């Protein structure tokens, strides 16, 4: 009787995993999700964000680009837009799957009891700030009627500016929380590992530009 009472009390005291908890206390959010990682909700958010952004970008591209103002393309514009959106969504999903697979194999070498589903779920949730940014960029496409394009041959300041923005910083913070939660490494070590990512993202474009 006492065992059931204690179990019920623990369930009542356990904080709910909702968006408020995700924002205010991500450490608690990810820790609560260890026993039952969720995939469908962040996957749906990723899907909607990518579809909306790629659709609005493709629509503006086929409207205003003289290089593709071809009669064949214009007559089959709907098909090309569906293909563009499909390729964008599939490529993003494929990248995510293989990135998590790589992390899973690394985790198998250094850590115990980390499932692929947990990694996939935690990485998806850590990318929610990026998906929120995509919603904002979609709105910008619709308001300005101009495509948000990536900078070609970015300078060092361009690369730094890309990394040092609120959504990317939030994403990296959540990724650090996810690594800390999954591996039980200290918070300091987890965030040091995460700091490698923006350093690589800043330095690699400069190295490749100088080489090619």
């Amino acid at each position: 009787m006492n065992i059931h009472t204690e179990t019920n009390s623990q369930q009542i005291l356990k904080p709910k995993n909702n968006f408020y908890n995700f924002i205010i206390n991500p450490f608690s959010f990810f820790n609560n999700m260890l026993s039952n990682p969720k995939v469908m909700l962040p996957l749906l958010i990723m899907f909607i964000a990518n579809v909306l952004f790629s659709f609005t970008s493709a629509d503006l591209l086929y409207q205003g680009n003289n290089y593709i103002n071809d009669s064949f393309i214009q007559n089959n514009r709907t098909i090309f837009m569906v293909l563009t959106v499909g390729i964008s969504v599939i490529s993003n999903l494929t990248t995510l799957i293989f990135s998590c697979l790589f992390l899973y194999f690394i985790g198998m070498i250094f850590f115990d009891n980390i499932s692929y589903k947990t990694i996939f779920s935690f990485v998806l949730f850590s990318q929610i700030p990026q998906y929120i940014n995509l919603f904002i960029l979609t709105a910008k496409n619709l308001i300005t009627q101009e495509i948000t394009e990536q900078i070609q041959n970015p300078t060092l300041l361009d690369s730094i500016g890309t990394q040092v923005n609120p959504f990317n910083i939030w994403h990296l913070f959540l990724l650090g929380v996810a690594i800390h939660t999954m591996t039980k490494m200290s918070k300091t070590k987890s965030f040091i590992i995460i700091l490698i990512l923006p350093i690589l993202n800043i330095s690699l474009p400069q190295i490749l530009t100088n080489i090619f």
Side-chain angles (χ1 to χ4, degrees):
M1 183 69 176
N2 291 335
I3 294 176
H4 289 298
T5 304
E6 183 178 351
T7 302
N8 290 335
S9 64
Q10 288 176 350
Q11 290 176 347
I12 294 172
L13 293 173
K14 185 178 179 180
K16 292 182 178 180
N17 259 14
N18 50 33
F19 189 70
Y20 176 83
N21 199 32
F22 176 77
I23 299 291
I24 301 300
N25 194 353
F27 286 98
S28 174
F29 180 89
F30 282 102
N31 190 57
N32 292 338
M33 209 165 46
L34 264 179
S35 58
N36 187 23
K38 305 294 184 183
V39 171
M40 292 308 299
L41 177 60
L43 198 59
L44 180 63
I45 295 173
M46 184 202 78
F47 177 78
I48 294 173
N50 276 282
V51 166
L52 290 177
F53 179 70
S54 57
F55 178 82
T56 55
S57 297
D59 184 47
L60 292 172
L61 179 67
Y62 290 122
Q63 281 182 20
N65 195 322
N66 293 328
Y67 293 104
I68 58 175
N69 193 20
D70 180 271
S71 59
F72 174 77
I73 292 177
Q74 293 303 319
N75 291 336
N76 297 277
R77 183 177 166 186
T78 303
I79 296 174
F80 278 99
M81 287 186 62
V82 170
L83 286 173
T84 302
V85 172
I87 291 170
S88 174
V89 172
I90 292 171
S91 63
N92 277 284
L93 183 58
T94 303
T95 301
L96 177 67
I97 290 171
F98 281 101
S99 298
C100 292
L101 196 60
F102 173 75
L103 293 175
Y104 174 66
F105 286 128
I106 296 296
M108 287 176 62
I109 297 173
F110 296 102
F111 306 100
D112 297 324
N113 302 323
I114 299 179
S115 68
Y116 179 80
K117 183 179 180 181
T118 300
I119 293 174
F120 191 70
S121 172
F122 278 34
V123 170
L124 271 172
F125 273 104
S126 73
Q127 288 188 342
I128 282 181
Q130 306 282 34
Y131 305 145
I132 294 174
N133 191 33
L134 276 184
F135 285 123
I136 294 174
L137 292 176
T138 299
K140 182 182 176 183
N141 283 349
L142 294 172
I143 294 170
T144 64
Q145 290 296 297
E146 294 180 357
I147 302 173
T148 304
E149 297 180 348
Q150 290 185 339
I151 300 173
Q152 300 296 323
N153 300 320
T155 64
L156 180 60
L157 288 177
D158 290 330
S159 298
I160 293 173
T162 302
Q163 296 301 309
V164 184
N165 70 75
F167 296 102
N168 196 52
I169 293 172
W170 186 13
H171 157 64
L172 292 173
F173 173 74
L174 291 177
L175 200 54
V177 174
I179 289 176
H180 164 70
T181 305
M182 287 188 292
T183 65
K184 305 304 180 185
M185 282 195 300
S186 68
K187 295 177 183 177
T188 302
K189 289 181 179 178
S190 299
F191 286 110
I192 288 175
I193 291 173
I194 290 304
L195 282 176
I196 296 173
L197 295 177
I199 292 173
L200 287 175
N201 287 331
I202 290 171
S203 59
L204 281 179
Q206 304 308 310
I207 295 172
L208 293 174
T209 300
N210 292 330
I211 292 175
F212 298 105

